[in-house]
Amino acid sequence: MGQYTRRKFLSAGAAGATAIGFAPLLAACRESVGEVAAPYAVFKGGLVLSTWDFGMKSNEEAWRVLQAGGAALDMAEKGVNLCEADLSALSVGLGGLPDREGKTTLDACIMGPDGKAGSVMFLENIRHPASVARRVMEKTPHVQLVGEGAYQFAISEGFTHDDYKNPEAEKAYRQWLTESKYEPVINIENHDTIGLLAMDTRGDIAGACTTSGLAYKMRGRVGDSPIIGAGLYIDNEVGGATSTGLGEAVIRTCGSFLVVEMMRRGATPAEACEEAVRRVMKKHDNWREFQVGFLAVNKAGDTGAFALQEGFSYALHKEGKGELVRSNWLKN
Ligand code: GLY
């Protein structure tokens, strides 16, 4: 990883304990294990960042929510809802490419500044899985609901059954059936998940992540996107992170949690994302064959990203204007 600068809150060590007194030493110890908020000013201008170019429109929607007085959690939910509602998208929402049985199954999660989280996995026939995830968080004592249970919960919450089939996804599936090659590898240019991180004008951070997952996946397969700590993690004292790419590799490294913990210890968002990508690389001999990307924001409003392969970009909306930012990647 790039050498990041650890915050040297106090370096007196044990010898300095008598001179500086016990309370500061305790504070220093707590700092070293990450229990104390970062000493920089919290950014309160509002910002949104999300994966891939389809994030541009989602960011604009989240920004509209912010301007209408919405909080970070509303920004995150409504932002990704826009992408879920795009039925031409082949990797998010009901228009997504199906599993190998021909059924589109959806994974999503959401996490708020209060540390609460909700998630749905292997959900079918519901247009807005991220909103169902929010209901799981707000209306149940649980974090995760899966499959038929998640569907029943969604219906009980007033979501409607939706049989939509994307003709383009069906055509691609029929083509895939001619060989039925089971190759659970994400193409490095595949725009898969939308992961979105939002910061409101209080400086609070929330995030959401939603996808139809790996194309032609084994039935019941769940990726990183609905797994708190893998596809998304928020710690409102530190920042937030989200991921895209081959979910199995992200889950094995608890990727988004790792990014946030690196930031807690002083890494910039870009440095933290790079460290998580390098962790993925070390654990996978075949890392050249798939893509993983992370993006992150800290409480100062600094943002950054890093990917295994060239080709990852993220959408950033800050100070009222949006741009598509090309992520750095491993070049060795
Ligand atoms: N990152 C999406 C998935 O692996 O399902």
Side-chain angles (χ1 to χ4, degrees), residues 30-51:
R30 293 183 67 218
E31 165 77 0
S32 75
V33 295
E35 292 180 10
V36 180
Y40 40 64
V42 174
F43 178 69
K44 294 191 174 167
L47 66 84
V48 199
L49 64 163
S50 57
T51 52

Side-chain angles (χ1 to χ4, degrees), residues 107 186 192-193 211 213-214 221 223-225 244-248:
D107 297 336
I186 284 194
D192 70 333
T193 308
T211 185
L214 199 59
R221 180 265 187 190
D224 59 321
S225 303
T244 182
L246 186 65
E248 282 74 5

